[in-house]
Amino acid sequence: MTVGVALNASDVPNQVDATVQLAQEAAEFGVSSAWFGQTFGADSPQLAAIVGREVPALQVGTSAIPVFGRHPLLVSSQAQTAQAATHGRYHLGLALGTKLLTESGFGLPFERPIARLREFLIALRQLTETGTADFHGELLTATTPIPARVPGAENGVPLLVAAMGPQALRASGELADGILPYLAGPRALADHIVPTLTAAAEAAGRPAPRTVALVPGVVTDDVDAMREKATENLAFYEQIPSYARVIELSGARRAADLAVIGDEKTVEAEVRRYRDAGATEGVFSATEIAGEADRRRTWRLLGELAG
């Protein structure tokens, strides 16, 4: 089981410079990969491309680009460029997004998300694997009157989906290379998520899919204060039905109950629980929550576990 970190450089003079510096530090600790979220700020494939080129020891990934407000042709260009820049170390994550951000941000109706995801994946797979597409779906059209191949990205781009619900998991098993579940604890992974994903991949004749579990966590001695802070920071997810469902399936009452907070022994034990539940890779987020010293303490442990 490889172990990575989500990089979140905020309140800095230059986000790109600060992100590269963080990535270099993560690599020095022996962490396997660096991942970048996508909101309305920095472009995550560009960050991944820059970091991957500057820090060749790291795998880099996007977690995750919402399919609403994007088009497969444009996302393919971003992903292939990042793949060429990193010489094959880029991993593209897609997401359904949320009704609130889709409708308020893009002015688009959040309708038929699973159908859109399926069509997006079909068209994107054609583009990233062949550099061409001739796809005409109900919701999307993607054709290539001129080639869409980026030299240097001939081996394609791994496609992952931030999927946790049954329909999204089935679509991901059939059409993607794996998933990026967040706030899905070991119980939810073992009992619901991994079996559904694996069965869909097997039925489609696809290889065993990856499960890249994103987990908020930090190594710290100030457990109570950090648990309180995590409760405040993660409360937003409790209002989103897909997250509320997986939190409940994980046996938790609050999102913060799934944050891994404690000393090295505690965090190591939780990493092993995720592995035993079927996670092929782990990515720790919010490691900066307790300050710089504890972030470095966390990364040191994760680097040891990644090795």
Side-chain angles (χ1 to χ4, degrees):
M1 179 178 175
T2 63
V3 184
V5 293
L7 298 185
N8 179 28
S10 58
D11 298 324
V12 293
N14 185 300
Q15 185 174 354
V16 175
D17 291 344
T19 300
V20 170
Q21 185 175 350
L22 283 172
Q24 289 170 336
E25 189 175 344
E28 289 170 1
F29 279 117
V31 170
S32 303
S33 60
W35 295 77
F36 309 91
Q38 181 65 61
T39 56
F40 293 146
D43 182 76
S44 55
Q46 285 195 62
L47 274 180
I50 293 167
V51 166
R53 197 155 182 89
E54 292 286 331
V55 191
L58 290 176
Q59 300 284 319
V60 290
T62 292
S63 178
I65 297 176
V67 295
F68 283 92
R70 272 83 175 181
H71 191 278
L73 279 167
L74 299 180
V75 174
S76 171
S77 294
Q78 290 178 295
Q80 289 189 71
T81 302
Q83 193 66 300
T86 62
H87 294 269
R89 289 177 287 111
Y90 176 67
H91 308 258
L92 171 63
L94 300 173
L96 297 176
T98 67
K99 179 180 176 67
L100 172 64
L101 295 180
T102 298
E103 296 187 347
S104 64
F106 292 107
L108 298 173
F110 190 73
E111 297 174 351
R112 302 184 66 191
I114 301 300
R116 180 172 293 274
L117 174 65
R118 283 183 171 275
E119 293 190 4
F120 207 104
L121 285 168
I122 293 170
L124 189 59
R125 176 75 71 184
Q126 292 180 15
L127 289 161
T128 56
E129 291 189 350
T130 70
T132 62
D134 186 17
F135 179 78
H136 302 268
E138 293 184 68
L139 304 173
L140 292 171
T141 294
T143 64
T144 47
I146 58 176
R149 163 61 67 209
V150 176
E154 285 82 5
N155 291 331
V157 180
L159 304 181
L160 308 171
V161 180
M164 296 184 291
Q167 293 185 73
L169 288 169
R170 285 192 288 270
S172 300
E174 294 170 21
L175 301 169
D177 300 304
I179 58 170
L180 294 156
Y182 179 57
L183 294 177
R187 182 188 300 181
L189 287 176
D191 294 346
H192 302 278
I193 291 176
V194 173
T196 301
L197 176 72
T198 302
E202 289 177 350
R206 291 191 54 79
R210 296 161 56 190
T211 297
V212 185
L214 279 79
V215 184
V218 64
V219 176
T220 183
D221 295 324
D222 198 3
V223 175
D224 292 340
M226 290 307 103
R227 183 73 62 186
E228 183 177 346
K229 194 170 184 179
T231 299
E232 179 181 346
N233 292 350
L234 297 173
F236 165 77
Y237 294 98
E238 298 165 8
Q239 312 305 313
I240 302 173
S242 59
Y243 283 104
R245 174 182 176 275
V246 80
I247 290 167
E248 182 179 2
L249 290 176
S250 300
R253 186 177 63 87
R254 303 291 306 270
D257 296 338
L258 296 167
V260 177
I261 301 174
D263 61 13
E264 283 83 356
K265 185 176 180 180
T266 299
V267 173
E268 180 177 357
E270 286 300 303
V271 169
R272 298 191 187 283
R273 285 187 66 217
Y274 275 90
R275 179 200 62 193
D276 293 343
T280 57
E281 300 152 65
V283 176
F284 267 60
S285 66
T287 56
E288 71 283 353
I289 190 174
E292 289 295 293
D294 281 345
R295 175 183 63 77
R296 293 189 178 97
R297 183 179 170 187
T298 305
W299 287 12
R300 183 176 295 107
L301 173 66
L302 298 180
E304 293 170 358
L305 296 177

